[in-house]
Amino acid sequence: MKRFLILGIVLCLGLTCFLSGCSSSSTNKIRVGEVTRSLFYAPQYVALEKGFFKEEGLEVELTTTWGGDKTMTALLSDGIDVALVGSETSIYVDLQGAQDAVINFAQLTQTDGTFLLARTKPDQFSWDQVRGKVFLGQRKGGMPQMVGEFVLRKNSIDPHIDTSLLQNIDFKNIPSAFASGTGDYVQLFEPTASQFEQESIGHVVASFGKESGNVPYTSYMAKQSYIQTNQKKVQSFTNAIYKGQQWVNSHSAEEVAKVITPYFSDVKPEILIRSIKRYQEQDSYPTNPLLKKADWELLQKIMKTAGELKQSAPYEKLVNETFAKQALGGK
């Protein structure tokens, strides 16, 4: 939560701009800030490329904001209208006492997106093999690290006691650190996991997404005030995301890869397909944008296990399921 202290400073100073402009210049324009560029967000890129937002009468301006703190600062200071980021960030902001709550209105991914890579491929993997080894961890308080700790503890391993946990490497440098020889195990997203397998740098031995269960890992959120004054736009946006989710779940990895290639031109086609297939097989892409209460409760359990949540964050306060239900036809 310490990383979100900056948000309090932003609010106190009353910053009004962060990226470009202070408000949408067009009545049908929505400025979206994605926390990173990821294959994990395939339904979003499909919605853009297949024209689903245009079908809904929207113009979407997508910016990669690179990091949860930067993404939320942009949202709170009106640099963007909608943030695509881990749902835990809305909880952190609420605990900071924000007057204009950040509301989750559409879920894009429903599992953790990381995989456990071992430097040496075992004949048969068991989580006990991680015990006593050097584990290259993620940033404290972020979803990858919290889910990682949750899964390890689920398998009777305390990462802070039973492993040599390294957390002094920046997120963007973790893959290169592992590639250069640091650590026995590492937690990585696709397509890096598949790339490392192809290059024999590491071997995928487990999926944190499968082990942890369904959680609102990445969601679209906006300030309460924005949602109240732009309900039609938020509904149209949610409709388009739903179309993207339906398309991804009804097409092959090869077909999805072909559509989203413009967003990942530096990734080899076979790696792109392999990565998407992995996410499809573990149901990382939900079939609809509805963020379920049970998944929200599991998210809080994971945060509490990691020592990052001291009090509960009500589902009813930080999740608005109206738009997702309407996209589903009022179901």
Side-chain angles (χ1 to χ4, degrees), residues 16-69:
T16 58
C17 299
F18 179 75
L19 296 175
S20 58
C22 298
S23 61
S24 298
S25 59
S26 172
T27 56
N28 68 338
K29 183 177 180 180
I30 292 186
R31 299 165 303 157
V32 179
E34 58 175 7
V35 66
T36 187
R37 177 57 52 86
S38 175
L39 289 174
F40 211 30
Y41 308 152
Q44 170 182 260
Y45 309 126
V46 165
L48 286 164
E49 288 299 298
K50 300 297 288 184
F52 296 150
F53 289 112
K54 290 183 179 179
E55 288 179 4
E56 293 291 333
L58 295 178
E59 175 191 349
V60 171
E61 179 183 283
L62 180 65
T63 303
T64 307
T65 39
W66 301 114
D69 52 349

Side-chain angles (χ1 to χ4, degrees), residues 81 88 107-108 158 180 276-277 294 329:
D81 305 311
E88 82 283 357
Q107 178 176 267
L108 188 67
D158 186 324
S180 65
I276 293 169
K277 188 174 182 179

Side-chain angles (χ1 to χ4, degrees), residues 6-15 76-77 93 96-99:
I6 188 174
L7 299 179
I9 297 174
V10 170
L11 293 174
C12 290
L13 292 177
L15 293 178
L76 293 173
S77 60
V93 171
Q96 288 284 326
Q99 296 300 307

Side-chain angles (χ1 to χ4, degrees), residues 1-10 68-70 73 88-89 91-93 95-96 139-142 146 303 306-310:
M1 272 184 59
K2 291 181 180 179
R3 68 193 179 97
F4 279 91
L5 290 177
I6 188 174
L7 299 179
I9 297 174
V10 170
D69 52 349
K70 294 181 178 66
T73 300
E88 82 283 357
T89 58
I91 296 177
Y92 289 143
V93 171
L95 294 178
Q96 288 284 326
R139 175 183 45 77
K140 185 179 185 298
M146 291 193 293
M303 294 175 71
E308 298 293 338
L309 184 63
K310 305 302 181 184

Side-chain angles (χ1 to χ4, degrees), residues 314-331:
Y315 174 86
E316 293 75 15
K317 180 181 180 182
L318 299 181
V319 177
N320 186 333
E321 57 186 9
T322 303
F323 302 101
K325 284 186 174 180
Q326 186 63 38
L328 285 161
K331 298 178 182 179

